[in-house]
Amino acid sequence: MLIKNSANGFDHPASSEITPQRVYEGRRDMVKLMASGVAGAALASWAGREALAQGSGKLAPLVGGKSSVAGANVMEKPTAYKDASSYNNFYEFGTDKADPAQNAHTLKITPWAVEVEGMVKKPAKYTLEDLLKLAPMEERIYRLRCVEGWSMVIPWVGYSLSSLIKLVEPTSSAKYVEFVTLADPKTMPFVGSRVLQWPYVEGLRMDEAMHPLALLTFGMYGEVLPNQNGAPVRMVLPWKYGFKSGKSIVKIRFTDKQPATAWNKAAANEYGFFSNVNPDVDHPRWSQATERRIGEDGLFAKKRKTLVFNGYEAQVGQLYAGMDLKKNF
Ligand SMILES: Nc1nc2c(c(=O)[nH]1)N[C@H]1C(S)=C(S)[C@@H](COP(=O)(O)O)O[C@H]1N2
Ligand SMILES: [Mo]
């Protein structure tokens, strides 16, 4: 049964429907998996992971059904797992698209904890196991549009960040959420390089962070996240350029000031705080009107038209009502 919430126009499923048995079981498997370190071992070979993602291995499937959040599943063919896990931006491991897959094996994801702090009534340090148990896992098939002009379609696994936010009870002065990601020079060879200031920091306005599409993400393709995709926990914000979706998060901080974000600090005229996907607002050095879907490239592949809010306007457009999107890029 869908419960109509007229305040924001979204249909929410009744809680009895969001937590079917399979979801619980999947989550338990994932907890066991993470705790036992099997997750890391499973990253060893493409062949092995492909097999697991197909459901032939005992680790899959980790989750039950697809999300019932409005607009959370696009009806487009998911990008091949191999592409999504070998063509990455994760500058802590190098600036070349192939670097993260090559270098991120050094990332140590157990033990892992995320500290929730700042303007909240219930600050807490959540272990990864705590986070995995916090809300039912769902699969959501989102478009991901990189600011550089390429895109993918990825079946992510996680739950709405709002589930966590509601638990920690932000105070009325909290206006923004800041995401701080791991910066460990011992395991991340490019932390210390001068392309960006480390740690990689991202941020959202509180209403953006509370939007049901904002996904706290633990897996993809029915598997735990490969290191190069931001293991063990990252954000995925499908209506924003990819760089807003910070990987390997260690801190979530509630604040009354707009966070200074990594790419904004590096080049404020090129990367704004909002960075909503917008075909009508070009990057100063290139057009954002079209994009290349990874896997469709090749000499004669047609470019796709980029969609406003990456195709999620019906869901998130209201968040920006009355704002000048050219000024607030
Ligand atoms: N910590 C961290 N998070 C990051 C980045 C990064 O360099 N460091 N790159 C961002 C960029 S530019 C993109 S497009 C996405 C890519 O995510 P994917 O590799 O899972 O597709 O991650 C984002 N998150
Ligand atoms: Mo990106």
Side-chain angles (χ1 to χ4, degrees):
M1 179 204 171
L2 290 175
I3 297 166
K4 195 91 181 160
N5 181 340
S6 49
N8 60 15
F10 284 102
D11 292 335
H12 299 287
S15 59
S16 59
E17 286 176 32
I18 344 178
T19 55
Q21 197 53 37
R22 277 182 68 214
V23 174
Y24 281 121
E25 275 163 17
R27 212 169 64 212
R28 230 170 16 235
D29 286 348
M30 196 143 170
V31 174
K32 256 191 287 180
L33 215 140
M34 301 301 287
S36 64
V38 177
L43 305 182
S45 76
W46 299 126
R49 289 191 60 85
E50 293 279 11
L52 294 168
Q54 302 309 317
S56 57
K58 66 176 163 60
L59 305 182
L62 292 173
V63 285
K66 292 200 174 34
S67 177
S68 44
V69 169
N73 301 294
V74 300
M75 298 295 140
E76 287 165 26
K77 187 167 167 271
T79 301
Y81 177 87
K82 193 174 196 306
D83 289 336
S85 57
S86 65
Y87 188 92
N88 302 100
N89 275 334
F90 198 167
Y91 274 25
E92 288 85 335
F93 293 103
T95 55
D96 198 89
K97 296 287 174 276
D99 285 344
Q102 207 128 84
N103 299 333
H105 61 271
T106 52
L107 176 67
K108 199 170 161 287
I109 61 167
T110 46
W112 194 274
V114 176
E115 228 163 307
V116 181
E117 58 170 53
M119 297 175 166
V120 281
K121 294 193 190 108
K122 295 176 176 165
K125 188 168 180 166
Y126 287 93
T127 64
L128 181 60
E129 289 72 21
D130 293 335
L131 286 177
L132 290 168
K133 283 181 284 187
L134 194 138
M137 293 283 174
E138 304 175 340
E139 181 173 72
R140 300 191 185 177
I141 306 171
Y142 283 163
R143 293 185 200 93
L144 180 136
R145 169 60 155 81
C146 178
V147 74
E148 297 164 335
W150 50 268
S151 64
M152 301 196 195
V153 172
I154 298 181
W156 301 104
V157 175
Y159 51 77
S160 296
L161 177 68
S162 62
S163 301
L164 172 64
I165 296 180
K166 284 172 196 157
L167 265 179
V168 298
E169 296 179 29
T171 65
S172 56
S173 28
K175 300 285 181 274
Y176 296 90
V177 186
E178 180 178 76
F179 303 92
V180 182
T181 73
L182 183 69
D184 175 17
K186 290 195 294 291
T187 55
M188 299 171 137
F190 278 72
V191 164
S193 75
R194 286 160 57 187
V195 255
L196 290 173
Q197 284 179 47
W198 313 100
Y200 190 100
V201 170
E202 256 309 329
L204 293 171
R205 216 169 52 188
M206 188 64 84
D207 59 340
E208 300 179 305
M210 283 299 291
H211 193 280
L213 286 183
L215 190 71
L216 192 65
T217 305
F218 303 89
M220 61 185 220
Y221 300 82
E223 273 298 312
V224 294
L225 286 171
N227 288 0
Q228 60 269 30
N229 291 86
V233 56
R234 66 174 294 175
M235 283 305 298
V236 181
L237 303 156
W239 71 98
K240 293 178 176 285
Y241 290 117
F243 68 85
K244 293 295 294 179
S245 298
K247 294 176 168 179
S248 304
I249 293 169
V250 291
K251 200 177 278 186
I252 299 178
R253 209 167 66 86
F254 293 79
T255 161
D256 56 357
K257 291 184 189 65
Q258 184 173 297
T261 59
W263 279 105
N264 187 251
K265 280 190 282 188
N269 61 321
E270 300 188 3
Y271 310 105
F273 176 76
F274 287 98
S275 287
N276 295 314
V277 174
N278 194 336
D280 303 325
V281 178
D282 287 338
H283 185 281
R285 293 183 279 126
W286 59 82
S287 162
Q288 292 293 27
T290 61
E291 65 199 56
R292 186 169 62 89
R293 179 65 53 83
I294 298 300
E296 289 179 351
D297 51 359
L299 224 42
F300 305 105
K302 252 180 72 189
K303 281 214 168 190
R304 286 172 177 261
K305 278 205 162 87
T306 288
L307 305 170
V308 70
F309 295 111
N310 204 23
Y312 300 92
E313 184 179 23
Q315 288 76 40
V316 302
Q318 265 307 109
L319 296 174
Y320 311 99
M323 271 175 66
D324 180 344
L325 299 177
K326 291 206 157 75
K327 235 162 83 189
N328 298 286
F329 62 90

